[in-house]
């Protein structure tokens, strides 16, 4: 199982709750899930994993670099697998839906602005908050 290797590489012991949660994160749609979403998915699948365990495992995954936690304005924390690919986010303020996007021109322009100011970008996070017209 690929998730077992991921857990071992991250220095985490392979446990049933960790494997189950990793499977959910690898296959979930939408890609951004709260701890409650993960818990609900586990319950629907008949898995006996408590909400406190889900929170603990997601925090361990974050510390190990397996997931990224996002705290979008007006909402609770959501998690996504860290696949190493940079992308930005659009958050619908009405529905709470989160969409990913990548735009080469926006990325280029951000780097250009930072350079013009005499700095080097080490990281960034762009979140656009939208609502339906």
């Amino acid at each position: 199982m690929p998730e077992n290797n991921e857990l071992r590489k991250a220095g985490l012991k392979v446990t049933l709750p960790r494997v189950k949660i990793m499977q959910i994160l690898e296959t979930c749609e939408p890609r951004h899930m709260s701890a409650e979403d993960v818990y609900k998915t586990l319950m629907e699948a008949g898995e006996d994993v408590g909400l406190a365990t889900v929170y603990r495992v997601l925090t361990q995954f974050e510390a190990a670099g397996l997931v990224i936690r996002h705290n979008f304005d007006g909402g609770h924390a959501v998690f996504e697998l860290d696949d190493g690919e940079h992308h930005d986010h659009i958050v619908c303020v009405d529905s709470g839906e989160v969409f990913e996007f990548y735009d080469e021109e926006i990325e280029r322009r951000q780097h250009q602005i930072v350079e013009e100011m005499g700095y080097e970008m080490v990281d960034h996070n762009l979140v656009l908050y939208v609502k339906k017209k």
Side-chain angles (χ1 to χ4, degrees), residues 68-84:
I68 300 170
R69 176 193 307 251
H70 298 284
N71 293 298
F72 298 124
D73 290 351
H76 48 286
V78 293
F79 299 84
E80 71 173 311
L81 280 181
D82 185 357
D83 59 9

Side-chain angles (χ1 to χ4, degrees), residues 45-74:
E47 299 294 341
D48 187 24
V49 178
L51 183 56
T53 300
V54 172
Y55 275 106
R56 187 173 58 255
V57 168
L58 288 172
T59 301
Q60 291 166 346
F61 284 2
E62 180 186 17
L66 296 173
V67 300
I68 300 170
R69 176 193 307 251
H70 298 284
N71 293 298
F72 298 124
D73 290 351

Side-chain angles (χ1 to χ4, degrees), residues 55-111:
Y55 275 106
R56 187 173 58 255
V57 168
L58 288 172
T59 301
Q60 291 166 346
F61 284 2
E62 180 186 17
L66 296 173
V67 300
I68 300 170
R69 176 193 307 251
H70 298 284
N71 293 298
F72 298 124
D73 290 351
H76 48 286
V78 293
F79 299 84
E80 71 173 311
L81 280 181
D82 185 357
D83 59 9
E85 296 290 319
H86 172 76
H87 57 268
D88 296 306
H89 295 94
I90 296 174
V91 178
C92 176
V93 295
D94 296 326
S95 69
E97 282 183 279
V98 179
F99 307 95
E100 296 178 356
F101 75 98
Y102 178 82
D103 184 287
E104 189 66 46
E105 180 64 19
I106 290 173
E107 297 300 318
R108 186 192 63 71
R109 187 70 183 108
Q110 290 175 115
H111 283 278

Side-chain angles (χ1 to χ4, degrees), residues 107-124:
E107 297 300 318
R108 186 192 63 71
R109 187 70 183 108
Q110 290 175 115
H111 283 278
Q112 182 183 13
I113 291 167
V114 169
E115 245 178 62
E116 288 170 0
M117 293 176 67
Y119 291 92
E120 176 184 352
M121 187 179 309
V122 293
D123 193 15
H124 80 281

